[in-house]
Amino acid sequence: MAMLEVHDIHTYYGNIHALKGISLEVNQGEIVTLIGANGAGKTTTLRTISGLLRPRQGTITLNGELISELPAHELVYKGIAMVPEGRGVFAKMSVQENLEMGAYHRNDKAVITSDLEYVFGLFPRLKERRRQVSGTLSGGEQQMLATGRALMSKPTLLLMDEPSMGLAPILVEGIFDTIQAINKEGTTVLLVEQNALMALSIAHRGYVLQTGQIVLTDKADKLKKDPTVQKAYLGVD
């Protein structure tokens, strides 16, 4: 049984049929990536899985439990955390306060302190700026903070939406190194990423979305070699 199973999901924005029968699965310990053009339905897929959108049809299960009817805040207790597109940090709060917000539902104070140090170990820049107001951080630092905040909820499944967006190339490489490190520590990752080459370089498997439907799925290294994927998403003629 897969950790996450999405079956025949149909999601709408009003009368707009955004997801048209999406089915995918993520196994425990994997990094799985969703790639596709802007408007393909990648973010909508993550928002539906995370409970921010309610599908009109289809089911989502986590470790065999039906979760597609649950609101987003309850899914945090089930072990799902999301790093949203655009980071979404609490701009007027300090770095440490943002991280502590990620653990709002927990009461294991000693473990929270340990997890805070783990995040600071992943992102030493955040430790240096722990008292700084988050809205004054650079884009790369805010991405670190959004990721760290999600990790403070102790997720078993981490949803990441465009973590490299707007970042300088040298920072992008660091973010992807961190995703791999998080995965090696035992967190399963479902990654949406415009930089298809980088995403496929760290993922175990991938799905290609096109206008709300999955048109291709395979192991990541095979997708990198697929002529259609190379031409459409990897810049290879």
Side-chain angles (χ1 to χ4, degrees), residues 1-6 24-32 49 59-67 75 78-81 154-159 183 186-190 205 207:
M1 180 180 67
M3 180 186 200
L4 176 74
E5 294 186 76
V6 176
L24 60 86
E25 61 181 41
V26 180
N27 298 310
Q28 186 171 348
E30 284 189 309
I31 299 175
V32 174
I49 293 168
T59 58
I60 304 170
T61 58
L62 182 70
N63 297 318
E65 180 183 357
L66 186 68
I67 62 168
L75 293 181
K78 300 292 183 184
I80 295 179
K154 289 192 80 70
T156 53
L157 176 63
L158 183 64
L159 310 178
N183 178 246
T187 303
T188 303
V189 179
L190 180 57
R205 295 187 298 111
Y207 292 87

Side-chain angles (χ1 to χ4, degrees), residues 74-176:
E74 289 190 23
L75 293 181
V76 176
Y77 291 87
K78 300 292 183 184
I80 295 179
M82 185 165 172
V83 182
E85 180 182 0
R87 292 126 203 175
V89 301
F90 299 109
K92 295 183 179 180
M93 297 171 67
S94 72
V95 166
Q96 182 156 335
E97 287 169 338
N98 265 266
L99 293 173
E100 290 170 348
M101 284 296 293
Y104 76 92
H105 63 296
R106 298 170 55 190
N107 53 22
D108 49 341
K109 291 186 178 179
V111 183
I112 289 172
T113 300
S114 173
D115 290 341
L116 188 62
E117 289 307 314
Y118 167 69
V119 170
F120 285 148
L122 277 176
F123 304 111
R125 190 78 60 84
L126 296 184
K127 188 169 187 176
E128 294 171 9
R129 289 161 169 70
R130 64 193 303 166
R131 304 300 177 196
Q132 188 169 326
V133 175
S134 300
T136 64
L137 298 176
S138 70
E141 291 164 347
Q142 288 191 17
Q143 185 61 55
M144 296 173 196
L145 181 56
T147 303
R149 184 182 60 195
L151 290 174
M152 287 299 293
S153 73
K154 289 192 80 70
T156 53
L157 176 63
L158 183 64
L159 310 178
M160 303 193 75
D161 194 1
E162 302 285 7
S164 76
M165 181 178 287
L167 301 186
I170 191 169
L171 295 177
V172 171
E173 192 169 322
I175 286 292
F176 280 94

